[in-house]
Amino acid sequence: MLPVCFSCSPENKQQSNTVTQFSSETERDPGAPPITGCDQTARALRPTALRDTDTDTVRPAEMEDQNSTAPTPEQSSGSDLHDSALSVVEELVYWRDVRRSALVFGGSLLVLISLATFSFISVLSYLLLAMLCITITFRVYKSIIQAVQKSDEGHPFKVLLERNISITPEMAHRYTDIILLNLNRALIQTRRLLLVEDVVDSLKLAGLMWVLTYVGAVFNGVTLLILADVVFFCTPLVYEKNKTQIDRYVELVRTQLEEKLEKLQEKLPGAVQLSKTD
């Protein structure tokens, strides 16, 4: 019995004709091995987007994947803006530029102390009045200098006036999405803690709120903001200089807390332990 090729069977004659036409129209590499009828049939039955595997051209499916994974200009600009903001904050809190960090720290501390002494409306009015006094005085001074020197330098704040400070719709949508994402996470976490999905985590929240009751009895909101401002500008610098010692003590405290929580979990009822394990 002679071997019969699949492409030569009577029910596949039409496919063989299609294969013959396809192979005659397609240019082949002279050094490539000969293609049998079965190989031609399999090649012809493959999708059009996957036929050109021997060439260096990118298939449409791969092009679609690359286009879908490639970042859009809005995403690139958003990531660049986020990275630049983080770098600016890092330079401020680590006092890379002492003059700028001292200016920001002193200004924020002065505003917070003023809020602790005066009302918000009074502080805002005094700040705007001080800024207007500075800008008007500088504007009049430059106008007098230009009149005496007979120069035409233009408005002294021309660069700032021509700067684009408008918020684009893309930027507004991007930050709105970020705010909504964080808000939804906070709502889900709050529901989980208040409805006691995890007993240990809810007990942690209860302990924290109990401590904050004593903190609130001693400090008000503005005082806490002043302390947070001082910690924000002083802690990173102290941590950078004493990183090794601080990390060792933090790891020691974390280990002790984990041991206490494990002992507390062992004393809980069996159903609570089972839910914690799940």
Side-chain angles (χ1 to χ4, degrees):
M1 182 176 179
L2 296 176
V4 180
C5 182
F6 175 76
S7 61
C8 298
S9 60
E11 60 272 12
N12 294 316
K13 288 183 179 180
Q14 185 176 359
Q15 293 182 358
S16 300
N17 295 331
T18 305
V19 170
T20 304
Q21 183 179 359
F22 174 78
S23 60
S24 61
E25 292 177 355
T26 307
E27 296 182 1
R28 296 181 60 253
D29 187 4
I35 301 177
T36 62
C38 296
D39 294 335
Q40 292 178 350
T41 303
R43 185 180 178 88
L45 293 177
R46 294 171 63 187
T48 306
L50 302 176
R51 286 177 184 172
D52 299 332
T53 55
D54 297 334
T55 60
D56 294 333
T57 58
V58 181
R59 293 176 294 183
E62 295 179 355
M63 293 177 63
E64 291 179 359
D65 295 338
Q66 292 176 1
N67 294 331
S68 61
T69 57
T72 60
E74 291 79 5
Q75 294 176 349
S76 300
S77 61
S79 60
D80 294 341
L81 181 62
H82 184 263
D83 294 339
S84 62
L86 288 179
S87 62
V88 170
V89 173
E90 184 179 357
E91 290 179 358
L92 287 176
V93 297
Y94 283 101
W95 296 76
R96 302 289 186 246
D97 188 351
V98 179
R99 182 178 179 181
R100 180 182 296 179
S101 299
L103 182 62
V104 174
F105 176 58
S108 60
L109 192 61
L110 178 62
V111 170
L112 292 175
I113 293 175
S114 301
L115 288 174
T117 307
F118 305 99
S119 64
F120 175 76
I121 297 177
S122 299
V123 174
L124 181 62
S125 301
Y126 281 122
L127 284 177
L128 294 178
L129 185 60
M131 291 181 63
L132 284 174
C133 290
I134 294 173
T135 54
I136 292 174
T137 303
F138 186 73
R139 177 75 169 85
V140 173
Y141 169 76
K142 293 297 290 185
S143 299
I144 295 174
I145 295 297
Q146 291 178 13
V148 172
Q149 296 180 354
K150 296 181 180 181
S151 60
D152 190 12
E153 296 180 359
H155 200 285
F157 301 112
K158 183 178 179 181
V159 178
L160 298 177
L161 290 173
E162 293 179 351
R163 180 177 297 179
N164 185 16
I165 59 174
S166 60
I167 300 176
T168 60
E170 293 80 7
M171 186 181 297
H173 290 311
R174 181 168 62 250
Y175 284 108
T176 302
D177 294 337
I178 295 174
I179 292 173
L180 287 177
L181 179 62
N182 294 327
L183 181 61
N184 291 329
R185 289 179 179 176
L187 290 175
I188 294 173
Q189 187 70 10
T190 303
R191 181 186 64 181
R192 190 181 70 86
L193 293 174
L194 293 180
L195 298 181
V196 198
E197 181 180 352
D198 192 330
V199 178
V200 176
D201 292 340
S202 297
L203 289 176
K204 291 179 184 178
L205 178 63
L208 178 61
M209 294 299 104
W210 180 72
V211 173
L212 289 180
T213 56
Y214 289 94
V215 175
V218 179
F219 306 102
N220 56 15
V222 179
T223 306
L224 291 177
L225 290 177
I226 294 174
L227 293 176
D229 188 41
V230 174
V231 170
F232 183 73
F233 278 94
C234 296
T235 303
L237 187 61
V238 175
Y239 175 75
E240 188 178 25
K241 292 182 178 180
N242 305 279
K243 187 178 187 315
T244 305
Q245 295 84 352
I246 294 175
D247 289 340
R248 185 172 65 252
Y249 286 115
V250 168
E251 183 65 23
L252 180 62
V253 172
R254 187 180 67 85
T255 304
Q256 292 180 355
L257 287 177
E258 290 179 353
E259 293 177 356
K260 297 292 184 182
L261 290 176
E262 289 178 358
K263 293 180 180 179
L264 178 61
Q265 184 182 354
E266 292 176 356
K267 295 180 180 180
L268 293 175
V272 178
Q273 292 183 11
L274 181 61
S275 63
K276 179 63 179 178
T277 305
D278 295 338

